[in-house]
Amino acid sequence: MAQAADVSLGAVPAILADLERQGRLAVAGRNRRCIVSKPWLDDWSAAYARTLRPKTLLGRYATKNLAGWQTWTLADVGGKWGGEAAANLLTNYLTPGVVTVYVTKQLGRFIAEHRLATVDDDDPSVNVELRAPFWGPSLEGSELNSAVVSPVLVYADLLANGDARCREAADLVYEQHLARRFAAH
């Protein structure tokens, strides 16, 4: 469990005890079962937006070539689509205003290749954000599209945006790709 969650072995008992106190872990003897639900997903998404997501930001950029984002090759940079771009690919609903790419290598090459200009965080011309991957195998990617991060992360990225159109897209991602995995309560 520690390896899959990328936490220290010593942290596991406290995490399990906390999950059991919250009613999110059923324990019967030596057997444990997570009780996953949409409220749990929403809590995780909010915690991700507050604590982890800000640490993943590598840079915010502007490009005049955003319309061609679907032709960008991510394999060479170990990249995966997140946020609005991933939602577009998973649901065919949202036209990205900001393209999020989780990239693992050759950041400079990617920036140069797509003519990304560095801009301030509050600059309204921001339309590309590059982020560092943080996940282990459990969030490796979408079963439907290996170039897209896990739908759980797409959902969380969209909610972190706070935009109404992103919330609608998050609801679609949930309905189409996550609902069958999560209990309603």
Side-chain angles (χ1 to χ4, degrees):
M1 277 192 267
Q3 184 179 6
D6 196 23
V7 298
S8 71
L9 188 57
V12 172
I15 293 169
L16 292 176
D18 189 42
L19 289 172
E20 188 175 359
R21 266 191 309 280
Q22 294 175 21
R24 294 180 172 171
L25 183 68
V27 179
R30 295 183 52 95
N31 296 321
R32 294 179 181 97
R33 182 179 56 85
C34 281
I35 302 167
V36 293
S37 63
K38 187 164 186 309
W40 188 4
L41 175 63
D42 290 338
D43 289 349
W44 180 85
S45 297
Y48 164 71
R50 260 190 333 273
T51 58
L52 182 56
R53 191 170 196 270
K55 296 175 187 176
T56 67
L57 185 63
L58 298 172
R60 297 179 58 128
Y61 303 89
T63 183
K64 294 178 181 171
N65 193 22
L66 190 64
W69 70 269
Q70 287 179 310
T71 64
W72 296 359
T73 303
L74 301 185
D76 295 344
V77 295
K80 290 188 178 286
W81 300 111
E84 297 174 39
N88 174 277
L89 295 170
L90 291 176
T91 66
N92 199 27
Y93 171 73
L94 181 67
T95 300
V98 175
V99 169
T100 301
V101 181
Y102 288 86
V103 60
T104 60
K105 56 188 175 184
Q106 298 183 4
L107 184 62
R109 177 179 169 207
F110 187 82
I111 291 167
E113 183 177 329
H114 300 294
R115 299 183 180 157
L116 304 181
T118 304
V119 294
D120 293 330
D121 285 347
D122 59 351
D123 189 320
S125 67
V126 169
N127 57 9
V128 177
E129 58 181 26
L130 301 182
R131 295 189 171 276
F134 62 89
W135 54 81
S138 61
L139 285 176
E140 185 54 40
S142 167
E143 307 85 33
L144 303 172
N145 186 332
S146 62
V148 172
V149 299
S150 167
V152 169
L153 184 53
V154 176
Y155 179 84
D157 273 345
L158 292 167
L159 292 181
N161 181 299
D163 180 288
R165 65 190 186 85
C166 287
R167 177 60 200 205
E168 285 180 36
D171 289 343
L172 281 175
V173 168
Y174 180 81
E175 290 167 17
Q176 295 177 13
H177 301 282
L178 298 171
R180 67 185 179 278
R181 298 180 191 175
F182 292 90
H185 61 300

